[in-house]
Amino acid sequence: MKIILPLLFPILLMCVHPSFAVRQGTATADIFIRHYERSEDFGRLALWHEAAAECLKRISIPMNEIAYDYYKQHGYEKWTARAKKEAREIQKQYQYHRTRAETARQKFSGEVCNPDTFALLNIERENISKFIAVWMPHYPNRFYEFGIYPTFFREQRAIAEREGDYVKALQLEADAAAMCAAQYEKIPIAYGHKKYEKHRDAYRRHASRLRYLAQQNPETLPLEADEGKRILDSIAMQTAPAPQKASRILQIVKSDARVKTLLAGQDDVYMYPSFQGFVWIVRFSNQSRGNLAIAIIDEKKAKMLDLF
């Protein structure tokens, strides 16, 4: 088995399809759902189905609404229809997790409960709060990397540039920056994460600057058109765990006998660690088979909690 350790957690899962991207927080919650389904821990299973629904409510729905309003306002009929379809899919998934949460809760209510059980549930609620706090700024922080920017704004701008319409190209970049600001406003800031107000304000200023430049009817595209991609780098905020922590997690994973057995005979295995607010998730993949496995690791206990 040859293991390759990437320097950064890749975003390629979310680059290709916006509708998948906006539900990635819920998809990650599904990992913990599978974990507690295995152990038939119905109390915590119910909480994680609720967490998946909460990610849809707090993140996916406002993101979809922001995009839908923009498409409709600017007459992009195909994209408006796509956003409406996506909204229906999100609502369907939301109801699914609410129903599954209730089913798990009913099974849990039939069990004999004790103070230790309720203490574990309270700890899990705290863990879920940390998990959701990680995912709330996830999409605006990566606005220019995946989702609506590369699949819509960048392509529309490329068309405008080929036609020599630099005013429209600047307007599109201004709209993108304004949308990024709206995502900060309606997701993390709306739920009390005030530290992201400076992010929102920076993108609003950038949008205003681009609109001003567009009014000058430029004959070439000014350098400011690409500054939106660099705004986040200029805002001093440590948002990712130190690389040393990720290396420690990978050491724990590679030393586990279950991982060695599962990946025996696999070539060029990539391991992607990501911190979820309270535990780490490591995804394994290679080119020949795609996704191979997922591990959940408790850093404090230096222990792998599950592998599937």
Side-chain angles (χ1 to χ4, degrees), residues 34-220:
R34 291 170 62 185
H35 174 61
Y36 289 118
E37 280 179 336
R38 268 190 172 189
S39 59
E40 297 187 343
D41 186 336
F42 297 114
R44 286 188 281 191
L45 176 60
L47 293 180
W48 276 100
H49 273 297
E50 289 174 350
E54 195 72 0
C55 284
L56 292 166
K57 179 181 177 181
R58 292 192 177 195
I59 303 171
S60 302
I61 290 175
M63 282 187 64
N64 174 266
E65 290 175 346
I66 291 168
Y68 173 81
D69 290 344
Y70 179 82
Y71 297 143
K72 186 175 182 180
Q73 179 184 350
H74 291 83
Y76 293 103
E77 295 181 3
K78 182 185 75 172
W79 290 87
T80 301
R82 179 181 295 187
K84 287 179 69 174
K85 179 182 178 182
E86 182 178 305
R88 292 192 296 270
E89 293 172 352
I90 292 171
Q91 285 295 335
K92 182 178 180 181
Q93 196 173 8
Y94 175 81
Q95 291 301 328
Y96 165 80
H97 283 292
R98 296 294 298 170
T99 300
R100 297 288 291 181
E102 181 58 31
T103 299
R105 193 178 298 108
Q106 289 175 1
K107 292 181 179 179
F108 173 70
S109 64
E111 298 175 350
V112 178
C113 299
N114 55 57
D116 290 341
T117 300
F118 287 112
L120 285 175
L121 292 179
N122 286 332
I123 291 171
E124 203 66 24
R125 290 187 182 95
E126 293 177 3
N127 291 339
I128 288 170
S129 294
K130 295 174 183 176
F131 171 83
I132 293 177
V134 165
W135 280 96
M136 286 225 158
H138 185 84
Y139 300 102
N141 279 350
R142 294 159 178 79
F143 180 84
Y144 289 90
E145 299 174 42
F146 67 84
I148 192 170
Y149 183 82
T151 59
F152 176 80
F153 284 110
R154 189 164 63 200
E155 291 190 4
Q156 296 297 321
R157 171 182 157 175
I159 294 171
E161 287 188 66
R162 285 198 297 270
E163 296 173 350
D165 192 343
Y166 300 115
V167 170
K168 184 175 181 180
L170 284 170
Q171 289 172 339
L172 285 163
E173 284 295 333
D175 291 345
M179 185 176 289
C180 184
Q183 288 185 3
Y184 278 114
E185 174 68 24
K186 296 188 177 183
I187 304 174
I189 296 172
Y191 289 91
H193 299 287
K194 301 297 184 183
K195 63 185 179 181
Y196 292 102
E197 289 177 351
K198 61 182 178 181
H199 296 62
R200 174 202 62 195
D201 295 344
Y203 285 103
R204 284 178 175 174
R205 287 193 298 270
H206 181 57
S208 296
R209 173 64 177 165
L210 292 175
R211 296 195 201 286
Y212 170 79
L213 292 173
Q215 291 172 358
Q216 311 309 307
N217 294 312
E219 296 182 359
T220 60

